[in-house]
Amino acid sequence: MEIIHVSAECYPVAKVGGLGDVVGALPKYQAELGHVVKVVIPMYRTRFLYENQWELVHEGGQNLGPHWFHYSVIKEKTNKLGFDLYLIDINGLLDREKIYGYDDDTERFMAFQIAFCDWLSKWSHRPDVIHCHDHHTGLIPFMVKYCYAFNQQLAEVPTVFTIHNAQYQGWMSWDKYYYIPAYDSWKWGLLDWNHMINPLASAIRCAWKVTTVSNSYLGELHYSANGLEKLFEYEKGKSYGILNGIDTKIWNPQTDNYILKNYDRGMVEQGKRKNKKELCGQFDLDIDKPLIVFIGRLVGEKAADLLPEAISQSIYQHHGKANFLVLGSGDPNVEHQLDHMKKQFGGYFNSYIGYSESLSHQMYAGADFLLMPSRVEPCGLNQLYALRYGTVPMVRSVGGLQDTITDFGDPNGFGIRFNQPSVGDITYSVGRAIDLYQNKPEQYNWMRDHIMTLDHSWDKSAMQYIQLYESLKK
Ligand code: ADP
C-alpha cells in the first residue's frame, strides 16, 4: 500500500509532545512491513532542516481566501528516517522556529492543508490512504471530498483521522469561511460545530475511519470531549481505539546515547544507580532517597497545576523521604511556582523549566518513579518509556494510563495507580512509593525487572492500522 501521513509534528524533525513521537515512529514500522510510507509536515526552521539534504519535488500556488501563496515541497534525500519525508514550505507562514504559538496559526495550518491537497491532486496516481493526525490536518478529509479544486482527483482516496488529543480542536469563527476553497455551500454543516468552524469535528464527520490512541480514551470521549461528546456518540460506528506504541530503537536503555550508563535488565540496578547519581549530582538531590520525576507539558490536562502543592505536601507529610524533579514548560504560573520552590525545598526538589530531549532520557533512566497525575491522557507515552527504562510509573487511572499500567496491590501488578487527580491522591501515592522502595525491596526489584520485559513496540499497532486501511479498499 501507499500510505501518506499528514501531521504538524514528526520526531526528530519537529516535536512538541506525543504526536511528534507517534508520527516519527508509526510510519517507520509500517515501512518495515513492506509498505510505501510518506510523511508530510510543514517546513519549520528546525535543526533537522539545516543538517540534512533536500531535493525539490514540486512547486505550486494556491489561494488562502483572497491571498495567493506560493508553496514548494521538498523531500529528504537519503530516507534516513525509514520513510519518505516531505516538507511543505510556504514562505513567511510556515518557515518559523516554533511549531505552534503564533497569532496566525489558523492561517498557517489552513494554508498547509490547502497546499497538501493541491500537491496531491497533481499526482499522476492516487495513494491508497491519507492518514491525518489531529486538528491541524482536520480539514483535509472535507477538502478532498468536497472542494471543487481537489475532489475530482481525490474524492475516492480513503481518509483516516487519528485523534491524539480532542481537547484542542482548531476552532475558528465563520468569518474565516472564505479560507476554505470553494465547495457546495449547503455542505457547510460538515464544518460547523456550535456556530464555529471546527476542524476536529469536521474530520470526525468526513474521514472514512476515526481512531483514538487508546480504547479507554475512546470510551471517555462519549462523556468528556470538550464539547464534542454527542458527535462521538453519533460516529461511534466508524471509531476505533488503537493503542500507541513506542519506538524501541530510540527508547532503549541499552543503546541510548543521551544517558551516561547504558544498561539492560540484567544490570538494571547498577545501570540506573549510575544514571541516578549523575542526575542527583546535577540537581542537588540525595541518591539514597527514591527519586520521583514528572516530565511533560505544564498544563491542566496533565494536572501540572497540582504539582507545587502535591510535592510540598509530600515533602512535609513524608518527612522529606523522597526527592522530586520536574521537567516541563507551559502555564507561566506553574512554571513560576516550581521555580520558586527550588529555593524553598533545595535538596528535596528541583526543576528544569523548558524543553530538553536529552534531560528527558536521563530522567527516564535515572529516576525510580515517574508521576503522571493526568486529568486527561489519550494514551500517554511517558509511562511506556518509563517501563522500558525500569522506572515504576505512578499514574492516575485514566485513558491510556488505565490501559497500560496495573497497581502493585493487585496480583502481578507492576505500577502505582490512583483514582483522582488531586493533591490527596498524589500525596498518598508518594507514601506508597516510599514504602515500596524502602520496605519491600523484593517486590520493588521484581516490578523493575518485570516492566522491562513488557513489549510496547509499534509492531502490533502498526499492523492494526494496516488492517484498518485494508478494510477501506474497494
Ligand atoms: P502529550 O503529547 O500530551 O504531551 P505524551 O505522553 O503523549 O504527552 O508525550 C509526551 C512526549 O513529550 C514524551 O516523549 C515526553 O518525553 C516529551 N516531553 C514532554 N515535555 C517535555 C520536555 N519539557 N522536555 C523534553 N521532552 C518532553
Side-chain angles (χ1 to χ4, degrees), residues 20-208:
D21 284 345
V22 171
V23 179
L26 169 63
K28 183 157 71 180
Y29 281 73
Q30 291 179 329
E32 281 168 12
L33 291 171
H35 302 283
V36 176
V37 190
K38 300 178 158 63
V39 172
V40 186
I41 66 167
M43 194 204 83
Y44 311 106
R45 297 213 166 280
T46 65
R47 251 176 75 180
F48 192 92
L49 175 70
Y50 298 108
E51 289 175 354
N52 290 282
Q53 303 255 311
W54 304 88
E55 63 181 298
L56 180 68
V57 292
H58 181 76
E59 280 188 283
Q62 258 292 346
N63 272 72
L64 181 66
H67 310 289
W68 187 85
F69 66 89
H70 169 265
Y71 70 90
S72 42
V73 184
I74 56 174
K75 176 174 183 282
E76 193 273 315
K77 272 186 176 170
T78 62
N79 203 303
K80 71 190 292 188
L81 300 183
F83 49 79
D84 296 334
L85 172 69
Y86 296 88
L87 308 182
I88 295 185
D89 179 20
I90 303 176
N91 232 321
L93 263 187
L94 298 178
D95 54 341
R96 304 192 191 156
E97 275 172 26
K98 282 194 303 173
I99 300 175
Y100 316 113
Y102 299 100
D103 289 343
D104 57 354
D105 277 356
T106 298
E107 286 73 15
R108 297 172 70 226
F109 290 107
M110 185 67 90
F112 168 65
Q113 295 176 87
I114 294 171
F116 169 78
C117 294
D118 189 63
W119 171 47
L120 215 65
S121 69
K122 304 282 185 316
W123 284 21
S124 54
H125 69 285
R126 293 181 190 143
D128 291 296
V129 62
I130 304 172
H131 189 155
C132 305
H133 298 266
D134 270 355
H135 74 83
H136 319 95
T137 60
L139 293 172
I140 291 172
F142 176 88
M143 292 202 289
V144 295
K145 244 188 196 166
Y146 302 115
C147 291
Y148 311 142
F150 317 125
N151 65 355
Q152 280 213 336
Q153 294 79 7
L154 301 176
E156 297 300 313
V157 181
T159 49
V160 170
F161 183 70
T162 295
I163 299 165
H164 298 261
N165 194 330
Q167 295 299 108
Y168 306 97
Q169 302 175 0
W171 316 264
M172 65 190 95
S173 72
W174 268 103
D175 57 18
K176 298 197 167 164
Y177 75 93
Y178 60 92
Y179 286 163
I180 301 173
Y183 56 91
D184 292 335
S185 56
W186 51 271
K187 302 226 167 73
W188 68 273
L190 292 167
L191 298 164
D192 181 82
W193 192 260
N194 271 343
H195 317 298
M196 302 276 280
I197 297 176
N198 185 320
L200 195 87
S202 172
I204 295 165
R205 288 188 177 117
C206 299
W208 294 29

Side-chain angles (χ1 to χ4, degrees), residues 63 71 80 85 87 99 123 205 210 243 269-270 301 339 342 365 417 419 437 450 454 458 467 471:
N63 272 72
Y71 70 90
K80 71 190 292 188
L85 172 69
L87 308 182
I99 300 175
W123 284 21
R205 288 188 177 117
V210 174
L243 196 65
E269 184 155 359
Q270 308 91 298
E301 285 163 62
D339 207 39
K342 284 194 215 181
R417 272 172 55 159
N419 289 328
Y437 185 87
H450 177 71
L454 300 174
W458 267 106
Q467 284 161 355
S471 74

Side-chain angles (χ1 to χ4, degrees), residues 386-429:
L387 295 173
R388 184 126 169 95
Y389 283 71
T391 301
V392 175
M394 301 168 61
V395 306
R396 181 192 166 216
S397 301
V398 69
L401 298 176
Q402 183 167 303
D403 292 355
T404 53
I405 306 299
T406 53
D407 188 87
F408 77 98
D410 297 328
N412 297 322
F414 50 79
I416 297 179
R417 272 172 55 159
F418 49 96
N419 289 328
Q420 297 302 325
S422 66
V423 170
D425 271 24
I426 298 172
T427 311
Y428 179 73
S429 302

Side-chain angles (χ1 to χ4, degrees), residues 15 17-18 21 295-297 302 327-328 354-356 360 364 380-382 385:
K15 166 179 165 183
D21 284 345
I295 300 167
R297 295 178 296 118
K302 305 282 177 195
L327 163 64
Y355 186 92
S356 168
S360 75
Y364 291 117
L381 293 170
N382 300 15
Y385 299 143

